Amino acid sequence: MRLDKYLTTLGIGSRTQVKELIRHGKVKVNNIIIKKPELHIDENADKVTYNDINLEYNKFYYYMLNKPVGVLSAVSDNNCRTVIDLLDVRQKKGLFPVGRLDKDTEGLLLITNDGELSHNLLSPGKHVNKTYYVELNGDLIESDIETFASGIDIGEKNLTKPAVLKIGANANTAFITITEGKYHQVKRMFKAIGLNVAYLKRISMGPLILDEKLKPGEYRELTNNEVELLTKHK
Ligand code: URA
């Protein structure tokens, strides 16, 4: 992207204003004063400063991680590796996981520094769908589908909200879609029908679907399209 366009996109000023700022030597790219508004920069890699203030700090980052088993969904921890520790990115400060997966759960975890987006995805009123693939220590039966749809007593004040259960090719596997995020919710729902979860993997959250190319522990930046889908998701 052109340097002047980048600065206007960030709200530094109009195209004419930012051209002036650049010509007056107020803007540096990778610590070098640049006086050419038409210079092309890589907005994901180059460090751009205006009056020596790093403009990246205003930027939002979005990563899709395939969380591996054994890693905590937290920013930092004294004893255990966290999902943030897995990231090898230049701007780590301010990043946090959107919601939590258990230490022994695998799969889709969004990591960002966008607090508003996170709030929108997690707030109970929004009912964002979350789909998990699950392997159990016993077989499901057809009537479990109705049981999950009607709501289950997991020891909370209210029954769980209707969940969609799809039994897999093997009856000890399933896909379950829930709209809440109670502590250990999926495990507790299966426990309530007498089954233990042996393996749990989140495969989607709202419009965001885990990229199959990501192996556990791998991550990538969201595409612009994915970010747009998430921000528009109501
Ligand atoms: N439900 C669970 O029981 N564990 C998770 O990690 C996510 C949902």
Side-chain angles (χ1 to χ4, degrees):
M1 184 188 296
R2 277 176 61 123
L3 180 58
D4 52 359
K5 172 135 199 287
Y6 179 67
L7 294 171
T8 49
T9 311
L10 291 178
I12 302 298
S14 67
R15 198 72 168 243
T16 319
Q17 287 167 333
V18 301
K19 276 182 178 157
E20 274 304 290
L21 295 173
I22 294 168
R23 292 209 175 92
H24 282 93
K26 305 275 187 201
V27 177
K28 288 182 190 161
V29 178
N30 301 327
N31 297 323
I32 297 165
I33 293 177
I34 298 293
K35 296 200 171 178
K36 287 189 189 145
E38 69 278 12
L39 179 90
H40 275 262
I41 59 151
D42 177 349
E43 61 272 23
N44 294 315
D46 288 328
K47 183 182 151 201
V48 182
T49 60
Y50 162 52
N51 275 342
D52 289 323
I53 294 166
N54 195 345
L55 296 177
E56 263 193 341
Y57 289 121
N58 297 326
K59 201 176 145 176
F60 289 133
Y61 296 92
Y62 306 91
Y63 299 99
M64 171 191 291
L65 168 73
N66 184 354
K67 178 193 167 299
V69 167
V71 172
L72 278 190
S73 295
V75 173
S76 61
D77 189 85
N78 287 336
N79 303 312
C80 188
R81 218 151 49 116
T82 73
V83 290
I84 302 297
D85 294 332
L86 296 179
L87 303 183
D88 182 16
V89 295
R90 206 171 68 193
Q91 180 72 43
K92 235 187 212 197
K93 202 164 167 250
L95 292 178
F96 59 86
V98 176
R100 231 175 290 166
L101 292 176
D102 296 337
K103 191 173 173 185
D104 60 357
T105 299
E106 208 172 274
L108 176 66
L109 194 64
L110 173 63
I111 295 178
T112 184
N113 55 350
D114 184 342
E116 190 181 338
L117 180 91
S118 169
H119 174 77
N120 282 336
L121 289 171
L122 296 179
S123 83
K126 302 276 176 166
H127 306 299
V128 172
N129 284 346
K130 281 150 288 206
T131 300
Y132 297 84
Y133 167 72
V134 55
E135 292 177 3
L136 303 154
N137 72 335
D139 287 351
L140 292 157
I141 49 173
E142 279 300 305
S143 63
D144 293 329
I145 296 173
E146 181 49 35
T147 309
F148 274 59
S150 326
I152 296 187
D153 182 357
I154 57 168
E156 299 272 335
K157 202 165 82 195
N158 298 314
L159 297 183
T160 55
K161 295 225 158 56
V164 179
L165 181 68
K166 285 195 184 128
I167 302 175
N170 295 324
N172 71 325
T173 67
F175 291 93
I176 174 175
T177 302
I178 58 173
T179 59
E180 303 163 286
K182 298 208 163 65
Y183 181 66
H184 290 341
Q185 177 154 348
V186 172
K187 290 174 187 161
R188 287 159 74 198
M189 289 174 79
F190 284 104
K191 190 84 191 161
I193 60 163
L195 293 170
N196 287 329
V197 169
Y199 173 75
L200 187 60
K201 176 180 184 178
R202 182 155 67 191
I203 54 173
S204 73
M205 182 176 189
L208 197 61
I209 298 165
L210 180 64
D211 186 334
E212 285 176 3
K213 292 199 280 294
L214 294 176
K215 298 193 187 79
E218 291 184 346
Y219 60 91
R220 67 157 170 81
E221 276 206 69
L222 294 195
T223 62
N224 290 341
N225 189 37
E226 286 169 333
V227 174
E228 202 173 319
L229 282 173
L230 278 179
T231 40
K232 284 194 178 145
H233 190 70
K234 292 276 175 285

